[in-house]
Amino acid sequence: MALPTKTDEWVLESASSTTFALHQNNSVPIQPLGPDDVLLEIKAVALNYRDLAIARGLYPFPTTFPLVPTNDASALILATGSAISTLPVGTPVILLPAPLYTTGPMTTTTHAALGDGNLPGLLRRHVVVPASWVARYPSHLSFLEAATIGVAGLTAWNALFGSGLPGIAGGSGPRGVRKGDVVLTQGTGAVAMFAAGFAVHAGARVIGTTSSEEKVKWLKEVGVDEVLNYREDERWGETARKLTKDGEGVDLVVDVGGAGTLGQSLQAVRYDGTVAVVGFITAGDTGGPGPGLMDVLPRAANVRGILAGSREQYEEMVGKMEDWDFRPVVDKRVFGFGEAREAFEYLWAQKHIGKVVIDVGR
Ligand SMILES: NC(=O)c1ccc[n+]([C@@H]2O[C@H](COP(=O)([O-])OP(=O)(O)OC[C@H]3O[C@@H](n4cnc5c(N)ncnc54)[C@H](OP(=O)(O)O)[C@@H]3O)[C@@H](O)[C@H]2O)c1
């Protein structure tokens, strides 16, 4: 079969606070294949809040426009460079958001490779990347499901299991959330979905929040024990703490809201517990910087920023997902390649549950 030399891609021209400045380019030349590269046919792309934030000018890291958006995909290897012998043509793979971050603590180099929004974007039908950027495909998942795990799944995994902090790990014991711990997740978005699901599988008690009564049912279905409505109960963090044994607080909060939610997250967490700071969804809603020193200190809490996760953590996660037969939740509406703008708008309107995915072959 002749290999493709041209492809179609979506381009984001600039950041705009009012619209998604996206357009589709067809028959764009595919970059030549170097000896250490692989040519991939992208099968499915998952959207992340990051992609909205870049498009709407809310992303807190430097970004150069124009760019091909998105960094979360499943793909099939169509061809390999002359130096690649271990990845047969036809192998399904995942693209990692931080491919240079292999193990241990993040470094300046691995952060730079992750945070600038300038890695080759994946909202295209084909891409050439270094072979070292692709990762093992979870054997039990469809392409649509697998596209969702590289960013949101790995981030949630890192938040739950990526630290030896005593608040969530118990000194020299196994890392991360364990049976009997109490975990608080926020909302029904992608990271929360993975975090709640992983925590349930690890045997934790999970308290979730949402803004919508309809979504309470979904949270209960994935095993969340108690659900609080953060719109009706502004002091949901204090309420969550009262739900724990002796009102001591939860072991871990996976905070996706940022400035607008951290205050209540710090109310929910127990002494020496951990708030994993993952997201900044409320960045557009709040004028101020959020809580400060005197919110953290009296709670004697660990506040841990999360930046995706390492390849080692990814391997751990995929192994457990296979053992648990853990399937990500893909929103009931899946978009075709030509409907990328609609997919961005759908995610922006927060109509989704779980992951918004684009089926690139459709
Ligand atoms: N640090 C990292 O490496 C990393 C990786 C991935 C994502 N992130 C960040 O994490 C955040 C979440 O990403 P995501 O992909 O899960 O987003 P998402 O799928 O768009 O989920 C957003 C959800 O957050 C909930 N939400 C909105 N406002 C809220 C509030 N005030 N309080 C509590 N929950 C609220 C909503 O749930 P309901 O509809 O149920 O109310 C909404 O569905 C984003 O800021 C993203 O950039 C960071």
Side-chain angles (χ1 to χ4, degrees):
M1 190 186 72
L3 292 174
T5 55
K6 299 201 167 158
T7 195
D8 306 327
E9 66 184 21
W10 280 88
V11 174
L12 183 68
E13 276 306 323
S14 57
S16 161
S17 60
T18 55
T19 187
F20 292 108
L22 286 163
H23 68 262
Q24 194 177 332
N25 282 345
N26 295 326
S27 295
V28 181
I30 298 175
Q31 182 192 324
L33 190 67
D36 296 313
D37 293 338
V38 285
L39 167 63
L40 302 177
E41 178 188 348
I42 309 254
K43 300 301 270 184
V45 166
L47 294 191
N48 287 291
Y49 181 80
R50 161 196 179 275
D51 307 318
L52 302 181
I54 289 173
R56 290 294 172 122
L58 296 169
Y59 196 54
F61 300 104
T63 309
T64 306
F65 294 96
L67 56 84
V68 176
T70 80
N71 66 344
D72 215 6
S74 58
L76 205 57
I77 296 182
L78 284 191
T80 56
S82 55
I84 306 300
S85 56
T86 53
L87 288 169
V89 167
T91 305
V93 290
I94 299 299
L95 283 135
L96 288 183
L100 304 178
Y101 180 17
T102 51
T103 185
M106 185 162 270
T107 65
T108 310
T109 310
T110 46
H111 185 194
L114 164 74
D116 63 7
N118 293 323
L119 292 176
L122 301 176
L123 195 44
R124 50 178 120 211
R125 295 192 194 276
H126 304 90
V127 70
V128 170
V129 294
S132 59
W133 288 17
V134 302
R136 182 164 93 76
Y137 189 91
S139 55
H140 63 307
L141 299 185
S142 69
F143 281 120
L144 294 181
E145 292 169 325
T148 70
I149 69 173
V151 175
L154 183 53
T155 301
W157 187 267
N158 187 359
L160 265 66
F161 303 105
S163 156
L165 284 171
I168 60 170
S172 58
R175 271 186 301 132
V177 168
R178 291 172 304 173
K179 192 168 169 37
D181 285 350
V182 185
V183 175
L184 172 63
T185 60
Q186 295 172 355
T188 49
V191 174
M193 169 204 65
F194 278 103
F198 289 156
V200 167
H201 277 281
R205 174 181 162 208
V206 182
I207 303 173
T209 69
T210 184
S211 58
S212 137
E213 281 310 306
E214 295 157 48
K215 295 180 180 179
V216 171
K217 186 168 160 280
W218 175 82
L219 283 166
K220 296 267 182 181
E221 273 169 22
V222 297
V224 170
D225 298 278
E226 284 106 352
V227 182
L228 307 174
N229 186 318
Y230 62 84
R231 294 247 185 269
E232 287 170 5
D233 179 1
E234 287 189 355
R235 307 187 87 79
W236 48 268
E238 290 168 39
T239 307
R241 191 173 77 229
K242 287 179 193 150
L243 291 172
T244 63
K245 186 162 179 292
D246 301 328
E248 282 292 326
V250 307
D251 297 282
L252 172 69
V253 183
V254 181
D255 188 287
V256 296
T261 52
L262 266 173
Q264 281 302 301
S265 294
L266 286 162
Q267 289 300 318
V269 75
R270 71 167 167 81
Y271 292 108
D272 214 22
T274 299
V275 179
V277 179
V278 171
F280 44 89
I281 277 187
T282 60
D285 313 338
T286 53
L293 171 69
M294 290 317 291
D295 297 282
V296 177
L297 191 150
R299 300 299 306 155
N302 303 293
V303 177
R304 176 176 179 245
I306 304 289
L307 282 170
S310 66
R311 183 177 285 271
E312 185 182 29
Q313 289 169 347
Y314 173 85
E315 294 285 344
E316 282 170 13
M317 174 185 78
V318 169
K320 281 292 184 190
M321 286 178 76
E322 288 172 339
D323 289 351
W324 292 335
D325 194 23
F326 183 100
R327 306 190 89 89
V329 178
V330 173
D331 188 87
K332 60 184 182 310
R333 184 157 176 208
V334 173
F335 295 82
F337 187 69
E339 299 173 311
R341 193 195 314 278
E342 287 90 329
F344 273 69
E345 281 161 2
Y346 186 76
L347 184 63
W348 184 249
Q350 296 198 359
K351 292 178 183 161
H352 64 295
I353 292 183
K355 290 300 302 183
V356 175
V357 178
I358 296 173
D359 184 351
V360 174
R362 209 175 86 192

